[in-house]
Amino acid sequence: MPHQDSLATLLAQVASGALSPEEAARSLRFSPFEQLMDGVTVDTHRHLRTGMPETVLARGKSTERLIAAMRGLNGQEKTVPVLATRVSPEQGAELIQAFPGGCWWREAGLFSLGRDLPAGPPWPDKGDLMIITAGASDMPVALEALGTALFHGISAGIAPDIGVAGLHRIRTGLPALDKAAVLIVAAGMEGALPSVMAGLTGKPVLAVPTSVGYGAAAGGYAALLGMLSSCSPGIAVLNIDNGYGAAMFACRLLGGCALPTKCGR
């Protein structure tokens, strides 16, 4: 019983006499989690507990374990939406074969069951959450954040390639940024853009350092330390390349995740 709606239905059946308390207890006995196979135990009550469902991290999983996790979270009736992140091209091809009705967004590394993902441009350019990139090289991280937010029912848009090397480019995106409630800013190199955004807009800024840059950029560590050392207030810093984590933090700031109760593309 992974969803609150399912739990409410179960309790209503008990109240109406359609289901005995003993039968309901048996249904709930193992519902907080389910061990599907060796190495795969899914948290089926996470959405009920926290308002956020479990997401499948594809990286490092065998095809067998990845598919088992997706099926386990999708539920016996195949009505629970499921998102997988860090999906490689090879894993994406396997998932499409296993779940022909799924949605594979290659550039973002995301695979979705039960919810459409924008597989290519044009992407939305306004929303309660705005995702900003310093450069085009930051797009995979930004698109991971965008797809995660949209999957969870958050109104989100993206303003790409407006880094400090050409900051005048931000002028076209300022109206959307002013109307947004939360900003995610993805930047590599020296990681200066979140400080600029926090200083210009006064919005909560979720800064995501990316592993983009030469030499001393050190795979994102220079951007990470720069963001942590920002003089602009109102910035929270995520881990390197963690677009997913930024989107889930934004979901909490914006009131939680709104998932559909049934699959359907």
Side-chain angles (χ1 to χ4, degrees), residues 1-3 6 34 36 42 44 67-82 99 113 261 263:
M1 292 292 166
H3 270 217
S6 300
E34 184 179 358
L36 304 174
V42 293
T44 55
I67 291 173
M70 296 291 288
R71 283 183 174 150
L73 290 171
N74 194 213
Q76 292 183 354
E77 297 179 359
K78 300 181 180 179
T79 58
V80 182
V82 188
F99 308 102
L113 284 178
T261 56
C263 284

Side-chain angles (χ1 to χ4, degrees), residues 20-85:
S20 72
E22 292 76 18
E23 289 172 322
R26 280 195 294 272
S27 295
L28 289 171
R29 183 179 178 189
F30 296 109
S31 59
F33 62 88
E34 184 179 358
Q35 187 169 8
L36 304 174
M37 60 181 294
D38 182 36
V40 181
T41 302
V42 293
D43 184 359
T44 55
H45 263 199
R46 189 173 301 179
H47 186 254
L48 178 63
R49 233 179 25 251
T50 69
M52 296 182 178
E54 182 174 9
T55 298
V56 178
L57 176 63
R59 182 174 293 170
K61 286 184 173 64
S62 66
T63 298
E64 184 182 19
R65 289 192 175 96
L66 177 56
I67 291 173
M70 296 291 288
R71 283 183 174 150
L73 290 171
N74 194 213
Q76 292 183 354
E77 297 179 359
K78 300 181 180 179
T79 58
V80 182
V82 188
L83 180 69
T85 65

